[in-house]
Amino acid sequence: MAKGRELKGRIKSVENTRKITRTMEMVATSKMKRAQDRVVAARPYATALADVISSLYSPDLAERFPLLRQPAERRHVALIVLTSNRGLAGAFNANLIKEARSRLVELERGGAQVDVHVVGKKGLGYFKYVGRALASQRTDVGDRPSAATAAEIVDGLMADYAAGRLDGVYVTYSKFNSALSTPPTTQQVLPVTPPEAKAGAGTSDAGLQRNYLLYPDAETILSELLPSYVRNAIYRALVENEAGFQSAQRTAMKNATDNAGDILNVLRRTYNRARQAQITQEIAEIVGGASALQG
Amino acid sequence: MLTVSVISPEAVLFEGQTESLVAPAFDGQVGILTGHAPMVTLLGTGELRLGAEGSGQRFRVQGGFLQVVDDTVRVVTEHASTA
């Protein structure tokens, strides 16, 4: 029963693989839940910051802030590409890299020199493979990105932008709309697009157009808050990217577990059929032998 | 009563009611009671105290701003931790 033993081995192997993928699915599910909570927890800060900036912002102030400078042409820009450190997440990283690549082409066609900053081993691997020099790289952003990490990533770029060495900063990440929708997105970080004061005069901005007492003054407050706003944009990108990764991994591992189940069904059926056939054959031989003796 | 929220980039650390608060503004401590005029001020580094002296919660804050509107206070800070 050589075929039967071989089938048994394969069944065992697929079962073991399924155990792994099922565990990974469960781990990713729980990590995704936590990453999702962090995406939600980051919202109040962004909202509060955007509220205050939009209520202080006026177009005549804009010229005085280097971060709001609108460059006439984009000669030298930076693109931050966020990817994950680990794989087994379906097309997650491939999609991010595809998005980054099309942005690169677009920016370079516009005549800009593009510095690429990569976060995550997977992005690093790709850019190494195509042989593109990277301006910076880091792989130490774990499951829980911190605001401090975001600051490290973007502070240098902000200084370069303020000094006029860069004309734009973009970040490519997977936007976390929901567990099922995490489209790769490229967002312009610099120059800062001032958050719009919501025009509709809804309930949420009742306090916006008041005459605030401002200490020290609008200009100083803005010059402090704009960098925070930029850092926060990066922080949110990191957090959303992580949530996107976990949900991609969960989906990939769920599919793998389901597929393993399908394969097992086929293998078990084949195995049982082979066993049945062998038993039938043995009975036929015994019956045949017995009747030969009687005859 | 004041409705206070203490917000850092990572999370909302506190949300609730308090009688008063003392915050480290960029140029010294600032105390807020009910009926304060609308205000936005930058924060420095120091201790944020909610409630009366010797009671209530404390936080270490660094940077960011404080906004007061209609007895609603938002302390939005770059770094915050419970002290």
Side-chain angles (χ1 to χ4, degrees), chain A residues 4-20:
Chain A
R5 194 166 304 143
E6 191 183 303
L7 280 169
K8 240 185 165 157
R10 287 189 59 194
I11 289 171
K12 195 77 202 147
S13 141
V14 174
E15 271 173 353
N16 286 338
T17 309
R18 184 170 69 168
K19 260 182 217 159
I20 296 169

Side-chain angles (χ1 to χ4, degrees), chain A residues 9 59 61-62 77 79 109 142 160 166 194 225 231 258:
Chain A
L61 277 175
V77 301
L79 178 68
R109 199 178 290 146
D160 282 349
L166 286 175
L225 297 190
R231 279 185 215 119
D258 293 351

Side-chain angles (χ1 to χ4, degrees), chain A residues 186-198:
Chain A
T186 303
Q187 194 193 327
Q188 175 179 307
V189 181
L190 285 169
V192 175
T193 323
E196 293 284 316
K198 285 156 254 153

Side-chain angles (χ1 to χ4, degrees), chain A residues 4 7-8 10-16 18 22 260-276:
Chain A
L7 280 169
K8 240 185 165 157
R10 287 189 59 194
I11 289 171
K12 195 77 202 147
S13 141
V14 174
E15 271 173 353
N16 286 338
R18 184 170 69 168
R22 183 177 285 155
D262 292 348
I263 293 174
L264 276 180
N265 279 341
V266 174
L267 286 178
R268 286 209 181 105
R269 194 173 309 133
T270 320
Y271 171 75
N272 285 335
R273 198 164 288 156
R275 193 173 56 97
Q276 191 79 66

Side-chain angles (χ1 to χ4, degrees), chain A residues 46-60:
Chain A
T47 318
L49 209 54
D51 270 7
V52 168
I53 289 177
S54 66
S55 66
L56 295 180
Y57 175 78
S58 61
D60 50 307

Side-chain angles (χ1 to χ4, degrees), chain A residues 2-195:
Chain A
K3 199 183 174 212
R5 194 166 304 143
E6 191 183 303
L7 280 169
K8 240 185 165 157
R10 287 189 59 194
I11 289 171
K12 195 77 202 147
S13 141
V14 174
E15 271 173 353
N16 286 338
T17 309
R18 184 170 69 168
K19 260 182 217 159
I20 296 169
T21 58
R22 183 177 285 155
T23 313
M24 284 182 78
E25 180 195 337
M26 288 190 290
V27 170
T29 308
S30 100
K31 280 192 177 168
M32 182 189 78
K33 181 77 189 62
R34 270 179 286 151
Q36 211 171 340
D37 289 347
R38 275 197 290 280
V39 172
V40 175
R43 270 181 201 149
Y45 182 85
T47 318
L49 209 54
D51 270 7
V52 168
I53 289 177
S54 66
S55 66
L56 295 180
Y57 175 78
S58 61
D60 50 307
L61 277 175
E63 294 133 42
R64 278 185 266 170
F65 294 103
L67 294 184
L68 294 172
R69 173 174 69 94
Q70 296 290 338
E73 54 169 345
R74 311 245 142 117
R75 274 166 294 124
H76 196 166
V77 301
L79 178 68
I80 307 170
V81 184
L82 304 186
T83 58
S84 70
N85 279 335
R86 283 171 298 136
L88 292 179
F92 179 78
N93 286 303
N95 286 341
L96 281 170
I97 287 164
K98 201 161 83 187
E99 167 74 15
R101 226 171 49 191
S102 69
R103 286 300 146 150
L104 269 176
V105 169
E106 196 178 297
L107 287 166
E108 278 170 349
R109 199 178 290 146
Q113 183 193 338
V114 187
D115 287 350
V116 183
H117 301 259
V118 174
V119 176
K121 280 184 192 146
K122 291 293 158 184
L124 210 59
Y126 168 74
F127 284 105
K128 202 174 268 171
Y129 170 68
V130 296
R132 191 184 171 100
L134 300 176
S136 82
Q137 56 186 61
R138 58 188 302 160
T139 54
D140 56 347
V141 183
D143 291 352
R144 304 160 132 262
S146 73
T149 316
E152 282 167 32
I153 292 172
V154 82
D155 276 358
L157 298 177
M158 245 190 311
D160 282 349
Y161 186 83
R165 286 191 291 274
L166 286 175
D167 303 314
V169 176
Y170 304 84
V171 60
T172 299
Y173 67 104
S174 92
K175 191 168 171 53
F176 191 80
N177 292 335
S178 73
L180 295 173
S181 161
T182 58
T185 316
T186 303
Q187 194 193 327
Q188 175 179 307
V189 181
L190 285 169
V192 175
T193 323

